[in-house]
Amino acid sequence: MSEVKTIRRRRGRGGRERIIAAATTLFESQGIAATGMEQVAAAAPVSKRTLYAHFSSKDELVVDYLRYLLESGRTMEGLLDRADLPVRDRLLALFTIPESDGPIRGCPFVDAAAEYPDPQSPVHQYAAAQKQRFVDRLVELVRTLGAAHPEVLGEQLAVLADGTASRSMVLNDPTCGQHAKAAAAALLDAAVPTPTRQVRQTT
């Protein structure tokens, strides 16, 4: 059972879930640094006492917000666990920018690390750990495809995915994903042997 679910059961789900929901809306609309704890309490709505009973600091709230996004499948990592798609399609799905009525949002972990630039801060450390976890998952998947040098390919795909998310957000342009997808497909084609190549190699 996750840490989040454990805490929810102990302290009651209603207040905590409202706080996370309010924080998510505020962080995504105006940024983390620009959002005060008083705003979160008012939007939840809960008293400041209740807010601090669940989250002793803003850092703790931000980390739990990021954890919520991860566990609810609202990040790029969620695409990699789609059992309904072949592995290659999961990897290329990273470069399809979801449709949105508002501005395109970038990677929440990159955004959080940028707002908490101190590498020693809990938020920055959590964001960095998740970005490393993302690379590890990519390496694991490309290895199942028989890719040559999976560690290198995984890092290349991670750089492309993070770059796509950031550039699409800055330019508010979903077509950035199309160019990155073509580059990712080329990397996969070069690293993963096709049946035809395998036959040629063995003859």
Side-chain angles (χ1 to χ4, degrees):
M1 181 178 295
S2 70
E3 178 185 349
V4 172
K5 292 180 180 178
T6 300
I7 296 175
R8 282 176 178 171
R9 287 192 174 185
R10 184 171 67 246
R11 295 178 178 168
R13 295 187 302 169
R16 186 180 187 85
E17 289 181 347
R18 291 199 307 274
I19 293 167
I20 291 293
T24 299
T25 299
L26 290 168
F27 290 162
E28 292 184 351
S29 64
Q30 62 186 33
I32 296 172
T35 301
M37 293 291 271
E38 293 80 4
Q39 284 183 287
V40 175
V46 297
S47 67
K48 288 173 63 176
R49 179 178 178 179
T50 298
L51 174 62
Y52 283 102
H54 287 289
F55 302 99
S56 62
S57 66
K58 185 176 178 182
D59 283 2
E60 185 179 338
L61 174 59
V62 175
V63 170
D64 257 27
Y65 149 72
L66 294 174
R67 185 179 292 117
Y68 160 72
L69 295 182
L70 181 66
E71 293 183 349
S72 61
R74 296 179 59 182
T75 63
M76 289 189 293
E77 289 84 341
L79 295 169
L80 302 181
D81 295 323
R82 288 189 54 179
D84 61 315
L85 293 177
V87 171
R88 180 187 172 89
D89 291 348
R90 290 183 228 171
L91 296 169
L92 294 180
L94 294 172
F95 307 99
T96 298
I97 307 302
E99 293 184 6
S100 173
D101 294 332
I104 296 173
R105 297 206 50 81
C107 171
F109 302 117
V110 172
D111 293 345
E115 294 208 51
Y116 287 79
D118 181 0
Q120 301 306 313
S121 78
V123 174
H124 195 107
Q125 288 185 343
Y126 184 82
Q130 296 315 311
K131 297 315 294 182
Q132 184 56 55
R133 179 178 176 272
F134 180 50
V135 172
D136 293 342
R137 185 75 174 109
L138 290 172
V139 171
E140 175 188 342
L141 289 175
V142 298
R143 184 176 283 120
T144 67
L145 294 175
H149 310 295
E151 290 81 8
V152 174
L153 179 57
E155 189 67 42
Q156 290 171 333
L157 293 174
V159 170
L160 273 176
D162 286 339
T164 298
S166 297
R167 186 169 177 79
S168 297
M169 181 271 293
V170 171
L171 300 179
N172 198 37
D173 181 5
T175 64
C176 295
Q178 298 174 9
H179 305 299
K181 186 175 184 177
L187 286 172
L188 287 167
D189 288 342
V192 178
T194 64
T196 301
R197 289 176 185 165
Q198 289 176 334
V199 169
R200 289 175 179 172
Q201 290 171 358
T202 58
T203 58

